[in-house]
Amino acid sequence: MDITFYYSRGSNCSERVKWVLDHKRISYHQIDADELYGSEKYLEINPFGRVPSMIVNGVTINESMVMVELLEENFGTNPLLPEDPLPKAEIRQICEIVNSTIHPMQNSKVVEFFKPGLDNKAKRELRRQWIEKGLKTLTSYLWKQSDFVAGTQFSLADIFVAVIYNKGISLGLNRTDHPGFECHWNCLLNDPSISKYCPIK
């Protein structure tokens, strides 16, 4: 596959996809989306103007969940989903909770739309609060069998949870208030085969 990946450092969705690409040792061409962000050229690639974007064999894909599932389905190295349908569904469910419930409302543009006029500090605090609320609820789904969030092996769910947790940290989340997520993060960092490809060390 010929893959061009438009990446933005600090973007949750970009970091998810980059982690998958690198963990699975997939060859791709990376373009700094920050240099194009908001331009007419980038809006031709992604009409919503969001990051990341990916062009695969000439086909444009603009949703990170679709990207990671496409990569998983087409590259067998270092699988991030099990074959068994029910454990696979459990992992995908956790990813979707992060992707569809926690992530969207903490997005700075979404906060701006619903709360116009807030200064940057106030926006960051709202985003932090939303992530914290989501993580607390998400906890009931996690770590039932091991230090990995679902099952006993590193999976897509670990990537999605680690990335949103670190976004919360960047917005002021207190690590000591979330020992389960902090333990999970340290578990990933302490495994060289995982941490080597993590884009948010």
Side-chain angles (χ1 to χ4, degrees), residues 6 14 35 68-69 72 75 80 110 121-122 127 160 168 172 187:
Y6 290 82
S14 292
E35 296 179 2
V68 298
E69 291 191 329
E72 179 67 12
F75 294 91
L80 292 165
V110 174
K121 182 178 179 181
R127 295 170 68 197
F160 276 60
C187 170

Side-chain angles (χ1 to χ4, degrees), residues 86-100:
L86 284 177
K88 182 187 289 186
E90 181 183 14
I91 289 168
R92 292 179 71 188
Q93 174 175 248
I94 293 167
C95 292
E96 276 298 345
I97 290 170
V98 173
N99 187 51
S100 301

Side-chain angles (χ1 to χ4, degrees), residues 36 42 72 77-79 87 95 98 117 130-132 135 177 184 190:
L36 299 171
Y42 190 70
E72 179 67 12
T77 53
N78 298 321
C95 292
V98 173
W130 182 260
I131 291 175
E132 184 160 40
L135 292 179
D177 292 339
H184 173 248
N190 289 331

Side-chain angles (χ1 to χ4, degrees), residues 69-201:
E69 291 191 329
L70 174 71
L71 297 172
E72 179 67 12
E73 289 166 1
N74 285 277
F75 294 91
T77 53
N78 298 321
L80 292 165
L81 288 172
E83 292 292 330
D84 192 325
L86 284 177
K88 182 187 289 186
E90 181 183 14
I91 289 168
R92 292 179 71 188
Q93 174 175 248
I94 293 167
C95 292
E96 276 298 345
I97 290 170
V98 173
N99 187 51
S100 301
T101 302
I102 302 175
H103 171 78
M105 293 304 294
Q106 68 77 44
N107 183 283
S108 58
K109 288 192 173 181
V110 174
V111 172
E112 274 179 27
F113 182 84
F114 286 106
K115 293 282 189 178
L118 290 181
D119 62 25
N120 191 50
K121 182 178 179 181
K123 282 190 288 188
R124 287 173 61 85
E125 176 59 14
L126 273 179
R127 295 170 68 197
R128 182 201 65 77
Q129 288 176 9
W130 182 260
I131 291 175
E132 184 160 40
K133 177 180 171 62
L135 292 179
K136 285 180 178 177
T137 305
L138 182 63
T139 301
S140 62
Y141 291 82
L142 311 180
W143 309 305
K144 294 180 178 179
Q145 294 177 269
S146 73
D147 288 335
F148 295 115
V149 296
T152 58
Q153 293 183 314
F154 182 62
S155 73
L156 276 180
D158 292 288
I159 289 175
F160 276 60
V161 168
V163 169
I164 196 66
Y165 173 63
N166 275 277
K167 176 57 72 174
I169 295 299
S170 75
L171 293 169
L173 205 68
N174 190 334
R175 293 179 184 273
T176 59
D177 292 339
H178 303 278
F181 291 96
E182 189 65 13
C183 180
H184 173 248
W185 176 239
N186 287 325
C187 170
L188 300 185
L189 287 187
N190 289 331
D191 185 328
S193 67
I194 296 171
S195 63
K196 180 178 180 181
Y197 301 102
C198 174
I200 50 173
K201 295 175 200 176

